[in-house]
Every structure is written in structure tokens, then in C-alpha cells.
Amino acid sequence: MASIGQIVEQTPGSEVLQRARQRAVLVPDCMVEAKRIANTVIAGWHGRRKRGIGENFWQFRPYADGESYARIDWRRSARDDHMYIRDREWEAAHTVWLWADMSPSMMYKSTLASVSKESRALVLMLALAEILARSGERIGCPGIMEPVSARNAAERLAAAIMHAPLTSGLPDTRMIRGASDIVLIGDFLDDADRVMDRITPLARRGLRGHLVEIADPAEETFPYTGRTEFTDPETGDKLTSGRAETLRDDYRRAYLARRDSLSDQLRRMGWSFTHHRTDRLASEALVAVHMHLSGMTPAVSRSASL
């Protein structure tokens, strides 16, 4: 049968420079797409605003018993029979660390999707950086870029990614100090307990985490039939099945069990989990993650299901 998926230029150790150049070519296109998606999502949205100490007006709200009379806005209150408080907007910048997995398994793209997992992960990371930077947040990337508070934070992050060394696995987070948010974007195909062994120490240090699982539709639906050769993009190991369709039910059960275990463990730990497929709109995952970052729980935190 015809090939359903492929690894986009898997990079052995001797071709690291070539792989880095390929990623450098990919990033500018991802930045353009990220800005487009961010502009779409941000329309009509007011960011991560909340009441607090600041200079900018946020809203009027009714006076509550026990509050200081000094906070009453008498001009607004004179318009009707109620007293109103003038709230200001909280302006303290928050630090959000963003990371996207660039390991070989992320380079997979089947004929059922228009982009690779790597491309979608980069787009989501850069779109989040764009939206959060507009809200005045500090944006950083573990091991790649120290936190910055600037309107062009997404562009600076894209430039840093283009020149960053190739790495696999979760990032080194020893440079993260204090309470902050971290968004991890990848396929997380390792055993759930192995992933949790790396993540649990982050939660113990006070990081508020958000994990975004990127999946190609072929990885979920297992559309393979007949004689099929499977290759592990991380190790190069191969498995040949004479009748691949006979593996489908067992594969899907194992695949869903791994995801459900990871999701349950993360939520018990206080972290959020968002599942996203590359045949869905990137904006769906972006909205879900942003709601988690804003302290709101989205009605659906999975872009698609089996």
C-alpha cells in the first residue's frame, strides 16, 4: 500500500548542522502563521486582565459594604441611585516559560495532516508568545531565552530558536526561579510514568504547568493495513507487520491508556492537559491553553477525540 506517513528528514548525529538549517528555514513561516492565528484569537478578547494595583482604569462595579468610601467614584455614582467603585487593572508582569519539543518524533507528518507535529508545536508556542507579550507578560524559553517583557517577544523567541542547539527530551529548567507558568508542547509518546518523573519536580518547585500533547491523526486512528514497516524515529529500530490491521485494536487501547494515565496524573498534580491533533485548527489548542493560563477551565480541553 502507499505510504501513509513519513519522518521529515530524520537527522542522524552526522547531519545536525543540516537539521538546524532546516529548522531555521521553518521558523519564519511558523512565525507568520503564529501571528495570523494570534490576531484571530485575540479579536474581542481582553487578555489576562484582573483587578489590582495599577494606573489604568479597568471597570466600575457596585460598592460593597465594608469597602473604603475613599474608593467610591462619586461622579459615576451621581448618575443613579447606586454607589460605584472605580477598579484599576493589575499591572504586575507574570513570567510564562514556553517550550516546544524538537525531537525526531515531532517531525512526523502523515497524509491525513497538512503539517508536521514540529511545525504545529512551533506555531502554538510562537502564537502564545505573541498573545502573552501583548498582555505585558514576561516570556522565556528554558535553555534558549531568558524571560523578556517586550511587544516583540515572539520575534525574539523565534530568532533564539533558529540558533538554538538541537536537543531531545524535556528542557533543563534549573534556571527557573520563583512561581511562574510553564507550557510544555510535544507528543509525549514516552511511558506516562517516565514523563511524570520529569515533570513532578517542576510542580514541587511551585511551577504552574500546562502540557499540550500534539498528535498526528494517523498516530491515533492507526489506518495501516497489509504489510507495513514501522520505524522508531528516535532509535531507528524497525518493526515489520504482515497484517498491520490486526494490531489496530490493541494499539488504540494502549495509546489511549497512556494518554489517559498522563492526563489524570497531571490534573491530580494541579497541571492542565490539552490534547491537539494536527488535522485540527491550531486556534482550538491556543484558546484552550490560554484559558488555562488565565485561570479558566475550558469546556473541552481536547481538540479531537478518537
Side-chain angles (χ1 to χ4, degrees):
M1 62 176 292
S3 174
I4 288 178
Q6 62 180 338
I7 297 298
V8 185
E9 295 295 334
Q10 180 186 347
T11 306
S14 61
E15 299 176 1
V16 171
L17 181 58
Q18 178 185 352
R19 172 71 186 103
R21 288 172 176 167
Q22 291 170 346
R23 183 178 59 182
V25 171
L26 176 65
V27 169
D29 288 340
C30 289
M31 186 70 247
V32 172
E33 178 69 2
K35 281 185 171 290
R36 183 190 68 79
I37 294 170
N39 287 333
T40 299
V41 171
I42 207 169
W45 165 70
H46 299 292
R48 290 156 52 85
R49 298 172 63 186
K50 57 184 177 180
R51 184 169 71 247
I53 300 173
E55 298 297 326
N56 297 326
F57 168 75
W58 182 28
Q59 65 177 3
F60 288 116
R61 62 176 176 83
Y63 168 81
D65 290 341
E67 294 189 273
S68 171
Y69 279 102
R71 299 189 59 200
I72 295 175
D73 188 289
W74 296 106
R75 179 175 297 180
R76 172 64 183 88
S77 301
R79 298 178 189 173
D80 53 40
D81 296 331
H82 300 282
M83 291 187 292
Y84 292 90
I85 298 292
R86 172 187 287 266
D87 274 336
R88 294 173 180 172
E89 183 179 354
W90 179 266
E91 295 180 346
H94 185 69
T95 300
V96 182
W97 295 85
L98 306 174
W99 174 82
D101 186 5
M102 297 291 108
S103 60
S105 67
M106 291 294 291
M107 300 171 69
Y108 182 76
K109 182 183 83 68
S110 74
T111 56
L112 305 179
S114 59
V115 297
S116 67
K117 294 185 290 182
E118 177 188 47
S119 176
R120 180 54 55 85
L122 283 170
V123 166
L124 287 176
M125 180 171 66
L126 295 172
L128 275 172
E130 177 73 13
I131 289 178
L132 294 169
R134 295 188 193 186
S135 301
E137 310 290 19
R138 301 174 70 240
I139 308 301
C141 182
I144 294 179
M145 187 180 82
E146 290 294 325
V148 297
S149 179
R151 288 296 293 246
N152 68 339
E155 287 88 348
R156 293 169 68 170
L157 176 56
I161 292 171
M162 291 172 65
H163 299 96
L166 296 173
T167 59
S168 296
L170 293 175
D172 183 354
T173 58
R174 287 175 294 181
M175 77 294 294
I176 301 178
R177 297 289 185 270
S180 56
D181 282 82
I182 184 168
V183 180
L184 304 174
I185 307 172
D187 54 17
F188 303 103
L189 291 175
D190 286 334
D191 179 78
D193 290 336
R194 285 190 60 189
V195 176
M196 291 304 301
D197 286 344
R198 295 291 307 276
I199 289 178
T200 301
L202 304 183
R204 289 174 178 166
R205 286 166 45 195
L207 270 72
R208 184 168 170 255
H210 313 274
L211 190 144
V212 184
E213 181 194 67
I214 306 293
D216 186 279
E219 293 175 327
E220 290 197 338
T221 60
F222 201 83
Y224 310 101
T225 59
R227 184 176 177 81
T228 306
E229 180 182 85
F230 300 96
T231 303
D232 186 332
E234 305 284 345
T235 66
D237 293 343
K238 298 181 184 296
L239 170 67
T240 301
S241 173
R243 296 178 59 199
E245 63 273 16
T246 63
L247 304 176
R248 184 174 297 126
D249 290 344
D250 289 341
Y251 169 87
R252 284 159 61 98
R253 279 193 293 269
Y255 186 92
L256 284 177
R258 175 200 56 81
R259 175 192 295 164
D260 291 342
S261 175
L262 180 58
S263 173
D264 291 344
Q265 291 184 71
L266 285 168
R267 290 183 174 127
R268 285 198 300 268
M269 194 172 65
W271 281 36
S272 72
F273 176 87
T274 300
H275 166 65
H276 176 69
R277 274 176 37 164
T278 53
D279 60 341
R280 305 287 295 183
L281 296 175
S283 56
E284 295 178 6
L286 185 60
V287 168
V289 177
H290 170 259
M291 291 181 70
H292 284 304
L293 285 166
S294 301
M296 300 178 285
T297 301
V300 178
S301 59
R302 292 186 177 182
S303 299
S305 58
L306 293 180

